[in-house]
Amino acid sequence: GLPPSARSNAAAKWGRQLVRRTKNEQTDSMDLSDVASDRNPQIDDAQALMRGAARLLWQMGFSAIPEFSLPDGRRADLAAIGRKGEITIIEVKSGIADFRADNKWNDYTGYCERIYFAVSQRFPREVIPEHAGLIIADGFGGAIIRESPVLTLAPARRKALTLRFARAADDRLMRVGEGQQAGYSVDES
């Protein structure tokens, strides 16, 4: 990856580029074939959406990990920690049926300062609740279309979540390293 100073410069440059473009221009260049599922073209590939949202977060200075286990046993699709320790959760939705079948995101509000939905350009935006932010993503990146309101997170819970996040990231890195040393190819993308 880039060193922190280059990463900050890249995020600042990216932010300036977003300011110059309208929200429609940010998403108009996205190709729906980048996220359409191979098995069912009517729904989107959740992995591609997650990858695009994670790249967006990285550009903004966040470190993100997929499938983050919360203390209540729920798993957030994508969890991220910013430079100041702020915690963000992204719920990825591959289609309207996925959105209607799963309400676990309601339980995330006690574990983050911001919550977003990451969807493709063709997802009906009007169904996303106002108390959550909206990211339009594809397999290569994303754009925040609507900011999330800032939620309150107790300091003790923030500390516990930060430690949980660090341990989860380290455990995953260790598994990748162990697999490479044993001659296995490990792909966690």
Side-chain angles (χ1 to χ4, degrees), residues 32-175:
L32 294 180
S33 64
D34 293 335
V35 293
S37 170
D38 290 336
R39 287 181 274 158
N40 182 351
Q42 299 305 309
I43 63 170
D44 297 318
D45 181 348
Q47 292 295 319
L49 294 171
M50 187 180 304
R51 185 173 54 252
R55 288 177 175 179
L56 169 66
L57 289 167
W58 181 84
Q59 290 171 333
M60 295 172 61
F62 283 80
S63 295
I65 56 175
E67 300 296 328
F68 178 63
S69 296
L70 298 169
D72 67 357
R74 303 244 185 227
R75 263 198 328 239
D77 291 335
L78 197 57
I81 294 183
R83 289 185 187 103
K84 296 179 182 176
E86 65 271 31
I87 298 173
T88 298
I89 291 179
I90 311 290
E91 179 69 6
V92 176
K93 291 299 171 195
S94 60
I96 194 68
D98 180 23
F99 178 81
R100 290 184 176 142
D102 179 8
N103 287 319
K104 67 181 180 181
W105 57 270
N106 285 314
D107 298 328
Y108 294 163
T109 58
Y111 299 103
C112 61
E113 277 102 354
R114 294 184 186 267
I115 183 166
Y116 291 90
F117 282 91
V119 299
S120 77
Q121 182 179 356
R122 65 180 169 176
F123 189 93
R125 299 175 191 179
E126 62 276 2
V127 301
I128 302 295
E130 289 295 321
H131 59 275
L134 176 61
I135 294 172
I136 302 296
D138 63 14
F140 302 99
I144 293 176
I145 301 303
R146 183 177 70 219
E147 276 294 339
S148 167
V150 178
L151 306 169
T152 303
L153 189 60
R157 180 164 279 185
R158 176 194 314 283
K159 180 180 179 184
L161 287 167
T162 301
L163 290 172
R164 180 181 282 263
F165 186 94
R167 291 185 56 79
D170 182 65
D171 288 349
R172 293 175 191 193
L173 185 60
M174 183 66 156
R175 283 195 308 258

